[in-house]
Amino acid sequence: MDSAYDILVEESDPPLNSQSARQRRTPLPWVQVSIILLLHTCEPISSQSIYPYINELVGKLDVAHGDEPTIGYYAGWIESLFFAAEAMTVFQWSRVSGRVARKPVLILGMVGTILSMLFFGLSRTFSALVISRCLCGLLNGNIALGGTLGPIVGGSLTRPNDRFPKVFTNQFWKEYPYFLPCVASSGFVFGSLIITVLFFEEVGRLLLTPAMANRYSMNFILPDCAHMEAMEAQIRRHLTFPVLISIANYMSLALLDISLNALLPLFLHTPIPMGGLGLGPMRIGYVMGVYGTGTGAFQLLFLSKLVRRFGIRPVFIMCIATFIPAFLTFPFISLVAKQWGVCMRVWILVGCIFMFVTDSAPNRRSLGAINGLAQTAVSSARAVGPALSTSLFSFSIQYNVVGGYGVYTTLISLAGLAILLAVQLPRHR
């Protein structure tokens, strides 16, 4: 959990390439780092595992009554509320972890995630779904592997009574067909919770080398109010134009990324005559899982090489620009599906979307100069994106805006504005 403390350390310590820095280096604590990576998967699993089935679920609720054009409105709000609640509390959780300790806050967040996910699986009204997602976001101040596993879990385990009738024979699974993926997601978080309780060390102690521990007292690592005020003053001094423009670009990338992530399952779920592909939750989950795998593989294999070859700024601008062909591909897929059904041509075009979006997924943390503030801002953008894209999708279909494809015109325009924002990034860091 990054904070202003990291900035103070960066200013106080000699450069990493200096002789003294090299002498102070200690072996990397792989067990602790592995646990941190495990914890990083909890948020995307809890937020994205609902994507494959959320539109089908909303269609069965009392608010939509099976009216396909209106599903996007309600599904988008459910998806957005998670990030809205997260944006309201992420900075506060960071401050609490600074005053108390990181480990208890992480544990509390995981317990809240488990309970809220189970509540979501048992919800049968729109208001209950809203409450459960808000609770999940409020307690999730704590992305990646989770973006791959979450949709696959959600899609594979939905409606177990239909898919595995010999195993899930109880009437309960017919009445609550979306509870099993919530149990699976909660089970993953519960396993992470047990590992954290047993093996995770306090983050403040973990981050310090022995030499640094002698220089900073534990009162500074776990600061009181006076120290928090000093840190906040440091943050204010760092709010220069390069930092602000970096955070603004971080927000624009998050807005476009989450808008596409919310739009994709709605597009895949919507019947072909209405501009989608008419797929079920299982296939939607697998499609989104492939997308997550492709994104992770691209970042692992190519991103660092591209950044070394061209630099962060040109690569970021190129990545933002790829959102335009990604959004353009959606109406082409719809037209092909209407003409020939869901055939090989359609899957080729879907693969094109993945290629474009994968290219548009640089390491966003490279632009977060003050991570706590940046994460709050980005959570706000993520709160807007799902409701914006899915509502525009439904509005375009209902009122035949640009032949039902008005949503893509709007999102392409936003991508164009994001490019104009990206070129304002400093040429030199």
Side-chain angles (χ1 to χ4, degrees):
M1 189 177 290
D2 296 344
S3 64
Y5 164 74
D6 301 300
I7 297 173
L8 297 177
V9 172
E10 288 177 7
E11 289 189 341
S12 303
D13 292 337
L16 288 178
N17 58 1
S18 67
Q19 182 65 28
S20 59
R22 285 195 293 269
Q23 292 175 349
R24 287 195 328 234
R25 285 178 179 165
T26 57
L28 194 65
W30 284 108
V31 173
Q32 301 303 309
V33 171
S34 299
I35 296 175
I36 291 173
L37 294 175
L38 179 66
L39 294 177
H40 262 283
T41 65
C42 293
E43 192 262 14
I45 283 181
S46 60
S47 65
Q48 297 186 32
S49 63
I50 72 169
Y51 278 16
Y53 61 84
I54 183 61
N55 298 290
E56 180 181 273
L57 171 58
V58 169
K60 297 179 179 180
L61 296 179
D62 50 344
V63 290
H65 300 290
D67 185 14
E68 287 287 343
T70 65
I71 287 177
Y73 295 118
Y74 302 107
W77 279 109
I78 291 174
E79 293 160 359
S80 285
L81 284 171
F82 174 92
F83 297 105
E86 190 177 64
M88 293 168 56
T89 57
V90 63
F91 198 68
Q92 283 69 29
W93 282 121
S94 180
R95 296 182 65 176
V96 170
S97 70
R99 287 194 175 98
V100 182
R102 276 71 172 176
K103 187 172 179 177
V105 172
L106 291 171
I107 292 173
L108 178 62
M110 285 187 284
V111 171
T113 298
I114 292 170
L115 295 178
S116 58
M117 284 299 297
L118 294 176
F119 181 26
F120 186 89
L122 295 172
S123 299
R124 304 182 71 173
T125 64
F126 181 73
S127 58
L129 292 176
V130 166
I131 292 172
S132 64
R133 293 309 282 173
C134 286
L135 287 175
C136 196
L138 287 171
L139 295 169
N140 215 319
N142 312 330
I143 174 157
L145 181 59
T148 301
L149 291 179
I152 293 177
V153 169
S156 300
L157 302 181
T158 297
R159 300 202 308 262
N161 182 261
D162 295 335
R163 299 201 59 232
F164 313 104
K166 295 182 179 180
V167 179
F168 298 92
T169 58
N170 194 285
Q171 182 66 23
F172 173 86
W173 301 109
K174 291 183 179 180
E175 296 180 4
Y176 300 96
Y178 309 103
F179 184 65
L180 185 60
C182 294
V183 170
S185 299
S186 299
F188 180 89
V189 180
F190 181 74
S192 303
L193 170 64
I194 298 300
I195 293 173
T196 302
V197 170
L198 295 178
F199 303 110
F200 191 55
E201 299 175 8
E202 175 53 42
V203 177
R205 298 182 180 89
L206 170 65
L207 292 179
L208 292 182
T209 64
M212 292 170 64
N214 292 329
R215 296 169 56 194
Y216 301 107
S217 68
M218 288 310 296
N219 287 332
F220 187 77
I221 302 309
L222 303 178
D224 55 22
C225 294
H227 285 120
M228 289 300 299
E229 292 176 0
M231 289 184 180
E232 291 171 0
Q234 285 284 344
I235 292 178
R236 287 192 292 271
R237 284 201 295 270
H238 279 79
L239 291 181
T240 60
F241 176 78
V243 171
L244 292 175
I245 197 66
S246 296
I247 293 177
N249 274 277
Y250 192 178
M251 288 182 65
S252 70
L253 173 60
L255 176 64
L256 292 172
D257 182 56
I258 198 66
S259 296
L260 192 144
N261 282 339
L263 180 64
L264 180 59
L266 178 59
F267 171 80
L268 296 174
H269 165 81
T270 301
I272 291 176
M274 298 175 62
L277 294 185
L279 302 182
M282 184 178 68
R283 297 181 75 181
I284 293 174
Y286 289 153
V287 168
M288 297 190 70
V290 170
Y291 158 49
T293 302
T295 300
F298 177 86
Q299 292 192 11
L300 179 65
L301 298 175
F302 303 111
L303 181 60
S304 60
K305 296 178 182 178
L306 289 173
V307 170
R308 284 196 297 268
R309 174 67 176 84
F310 300 104
I312 291 179
R313 184 177 181 272
V315 170
F316 183 82
I317 295 173
M318 177 199 71
C319 292
I320 289 293
T322 58
F323 274 105
I324 293 179
F327 288 127
L328 278 173
T329 308
F330 279 92
F332 284 110
I333 294 176
S334 174
L335 293 173
V336 171
K338 288 179 179 179
Q339 183 69 31
W340 290 289
V342 182
C343 58
M344 183 58 67
R345 297 181 181 89
V346 167
W347 292 116
I348 291 174
L349 288 172
V350 171
C352 290
I353 288 183
F354 292 162
M355 291 171 62
F356 289 132
V357 179
T358 296
D359 287 343
S360 65
N363 183 359
R364 302 165 199 163
R365 290 175 58 85
S366 64
L367 296 176
I370 303 177
N371 194 55
L373 179 61
Q375 289 300 329
T376 302
V378 167
S379 293
S380 302
R382 288 173 177 161
V384 173
L388 175 68
S389 62
T390 57
S391 296
L392 285 173
F393 184 87
S394 293
F395 184 83
S396 300
I397 293 175
Q398 275 189 300
Y399 298 98
N400 198 33
V401 180
V402 193
Y405 300 129
V407 56
Y408 308 115
T409 303
T410 303
L411 293 175
I412 289 170
S413 300
L414 290 177
L417 294 175
I419 295 174
L420 297 178
L421 191 63
V423 298
Q424 302 301 316
L425 287 167
R427 295 183 179 275
H428 304 285
R429 290 187 295 155

